[in-house]
Amino acid sequence: MIKILKLLGFESARVKGSHHFFFNSNSGMTATIPIHANADLSVGILKEILKDIRLSIEEYEKLRRRI
């Protein structure tokens, strides 16, 4: 997910504990990614992040295949 955010122009803004905060200066959007022992993101968390960055599941899958 972090690679996709960077591909979309997000930059790491800060880290607090296990949460990484990203900001896109062009759109003003933010995203928070929890990193817990390198565990995969749950479906609910993934959908919430996609909603925050206004990215559809189909668009996410296309980007994921590119990386």
Side-chain angles (χ1 to χ4, degrees):
M1 176 53 80
I2 291 175
K3 289 180 183 179
I4 290 173
L5 287 174
K6 289 184 177 183
L7 185 68
L8 294 172
F10 284 81
E11 297 176 4
S12 181
R14 64 188 174 104
V15 177
K16 184 171 184 180
S18 62
H19 290 78
H20 295 242
F21 298 84
F22 290 86
F23 179 72
N24 185 315
S25 58
N26 294 327
S27 65
M29 290 187 287
T30 61
T32 304
I33 310 298
I35 308 293
H36 296 128
N38 291 329
D40 291 337
L41 295 173
S42 69
V43 174
I45 297 289
L46 180 61
K47 285 184 179 181
E48 191 65 30
I49 293 167
L50 294 178
K51 185 175 92 174
D52 289 345
I53 63 172
R54 299 180 187 109
L55 190 69
S56 71
I57 294 172
E58 293 80 19
E59 292 170 322
Y60 166 75
E61 288 297 328
K62 285 181 187 177
L63 290 171
R64 196 170 65 98
R65 286 188 201 107
R66 278 181 45 192
I67 295 177

